[in-house]
Amino acid sequence: MNKRQINKKDRVWRWIAAAAVMLLLAGCSREYGEAEKEDTLTPMDENLIVVGVSQVGSESVWRTANTMSLQKVFTKENGYFMIFNNARQKQENQIKAIRSFISQRVDYIVFSPIMEDGWETVLREAKEADIPVILVDRKVKLQDQSLYTCWVGSDFKNEGRMAGEALAYCLRKQGRQRENIHIVLLQGTQGATATIGRAEGFQEIAQKHENWLILEQADGEFTTAKGQEEMERLLHRYKDIDVVVSQNDDMTFGALAAIEEAGKTAGEDGDILVISFDAVKGALKLVEEGKITADIECNPNQGEYVDQIIRKMEEGEAVAKLHFVPERVFVKENVAEDLGEDD
Ligand code: GYE
């Protein structure tokens, strides 16, 4: 009998322990996520796989889609009981949630780490409790890679490269290969895998173009409000911005508002080229209108992959350490096909 099968047998006892902890937590459970408030453990649930999910927050449209993709698979009909926690963009909340999952003796911990550093201690606690950890979306920086089982997400560095290539393509089309191109970058949450990878990938391509000058890398925290605020500041400071590379669509929405407010226009026929990431529906409409020149897709539908991984583990099968989700680049020429899809 393999380890995960023994775990199944152990599940009834886990439920009793979990129910006791839930009762203890009941008085202070308000700070936990909706699913936790609505659902209560019942003895009928003893065959369900208990998954503790710690999500970064609800900072972006992409994040909401990612949460929905997890909620879609972790249902009772699919054999799961999900305890969901929204960390509201705070690492301390995630650490607290993971500790609570450990004390509830969940079967799996699924979490998207807000930043890469600072996880060694709590993940060691999970390992000591023999609870597998599946990372989604972002990664962790660890000395000991055995502290998590596997990761599902995007190749962020490649996304950054694709953004650079898309810009190069557009500038070539415009015949601006020799012109000095002034670029500002709107970065996401500092220390997050998406921020680091997208910046590295874009820089790699930028270094190949001597005429690309990066004026500033501003911190837009992946939100519309901060994206707008930073873009307003940048437009005030630099009179000659040619390109904004914004690391997510939410910041792009803010940046576009700031560009408009400053009396400028976005797009290939306008004053400023806008390159964005995520490719959420609202942004793809702007690609179609020509306001966003290229949008690098980031696939939020990671739930189905996590489900497959857990099912394999339940059968005692080995799983790969890294799972990359497929992604594309959207420009005006190909955006129509995706806008036709009904997701
Ligand atoms: O691009 C952004 C979100 O980590 C890929 O986080 C994710 C990023 C995504 O807030 O919109």
Side-chain angles (χ1 to χ4, degrees):
M1 211 186 302
N2 64 51
K3 206 165 87 185
R4 302 295 328 151
Q5 282 165 330
I6 293 169
N7 250 347
K8 273 187 194 173
K9 286 201 102 187
D10 189 36
R11 206 161 270 153
V12 176
W13 291 108
R14 287 186 173 217
W15 278 106
I16 294 167
V21 175
M22 287 297 279
L23 279 177
L24 282 173
L25 282 176
C28 55
S29 68
R30 222 144 258 147
E31 68 195 81
Y32 288 90
E34 288 76 48
E36 209 170 357
K37 270 187 257 163
E38 282 161 18
D39 270 323
T40 49
L41 299 174
T42 70
M44 311 262 295
D45 292 330
E46 71 195 27
N47 287 318
L48 297 178
I49 301 167
V50 186
V51 183
V53 177
S54 167
Q55 180 58 287
V56 166
S58 24
E59 74 284 1
S60 66
V61 177
W62 186 94
R63 184 66 53 198
T64 306
N66 183 245
T67 300
M68 278 165 63
S69 137
L70 294 167
Q71 286 171 340
K72 206 164 118 190
V73 295
F74 292 140
T75 60
K76 288 189 181 167
E77 296 68 47
N78 272 350
Y80 291 105
F81 183 90
M82 179 178 72
I83 307 170
F84 182 83
N85 178 260
N86 180 334
R88 308 197 192 289
Q89 296 262 60
K90 289 212 168 66
Q91 184 173 36
E92 65 206 66
N93 290 346
Q94 287 201 292
I95 293 177
K96 223 155 79 179
I98 292 170
R99 292 216 163 104
S100 136
F101 298 154
I102 295 170
S103 59
Q104 290 174 75
R105 305 187 69 197
V106 300
D107 296 308
Y108 294 87
I109 291 172
V110 172
F111 98 109
S112 176
I114 174 159
M115 53 186 67
E116 294 195 344
D117 289 322
W119 300 104
E120 204 93 29
T121 309
V122 74
L123 291 188
R124 191 164 300 285
E125 290 166 25
K127 188 176 178 188
E128 276 159 15
D130 200 21
I131 302 174
V133 172
I134 300 170
L135 301 174
V136 286
D137 168 27
R138 300 180 185 172
K139 289 182 177 157
V140 290
K141 213 184 275 161
L142 295 169
Q143 301 277 354
D144 179 357
Q145 299 306 318
S146 78
L147 296 187
Y148 73 95
T149 304
C150 61
W151 164 89
V152 175
S154 308
D155 186 340
F156 295 116
K157 196 163 177 182
N158 196 46
E159 287 182 1
R161 284 191 201 108
M162 291 198 282
E165 305 286 10
L167 176 60
Y169 171 75
C170 175
L171 291 171
R172 251 196 325 271
K173 252 191 347 189
Q174 293 183 317
R176 297 168 78 190
Q177 298 96 310
R178 299 207 196 301
E179 200 181 298
N180 277 347
I181 304 294
H182 301 103
I183 303 171
V184 293
L185 306 181
L186 285 178
Q187 312 258 52
T189 308
Q190 295 306 299
T193 314
T195 304
I196 298 168
R198 287 170 184 169
E200 278 179 9
F202 182 76
Q203 294 283 3
E204 196 181 293
I205 306 299
Q207 272 159 20
K208 295 184 185 161
H209 299 268
E210 279 178 7
N211 59 324
W212 292 15
L213 310 168
I214 296 179
L215 299 173
E216 197 175 317
Q217 313 194 13
D219 181 4
E221 297 173 359
F222 280 136
T223 65
T224 298
K226 196 74 200 314
Q228 179 161 354
E229 188 185 312
E230 283 302 304
M231 194 63 202
E232 276 165 11
R233 185 183 62 75
L234 292 165
L235 284 162
H236 197 70
R237 177 151 187 212
Y238 307 100
K239 298 294 164 217
D240 51 357
I241 298 174
D242 297 300
V243 179
V244 52
V245 178
S246 161
Q247 287 189 344
N248 85 342
D249 286 336
D250 298 75
M251 292 190 296
T252 301
F253 299 144
L256 287 169
I259 290 171
E260 209 170 295
E261 246 172 53
K264 301 210 174 204
T265 52
E268 284 182 43
D269 302 323
D271 307 307
I272 300 177
L273 296 173
V274 178
I275 310 285
S276 190
F277 293 83
D278 281 359
V280 300
K281 273 265 142 67
L284 291 184
K285 296 224 170 70
L286 296 171
V287 172
E288 197 175 40
E289 286 170 27
K291 289 192 177 144
I292 296 176
T293 295
D295 207 332
I296 321 306
E297 182 184 28
C298 184
N299 187 344
N301 301 320
Q302 295 160 358
E304 56 189 284
Y305 295 88
V306 182
D307 176 35
Q308 282 164 22
I309 289 166
I310 292 181
R311 292 198 188 281
K312 274 193 176 177
M313 290 177 72
E314 287 288 303
E315 293 308 316
E317 286 176 38
V319 293
K321 195 86 181 172
L322 304 176
H323 301 255
F324 291 94
V325 290
E327 296 171 336
R328 331 167 246 187
V329 177
F330 289 103
V331 289
K332 203 168 183 172
E333 290 75 21
N334 70 349
V335 75
E337 29 182 287
D338 193 79
L339 279 172
E341 287 169 18
D342 45 20
D343 55 327

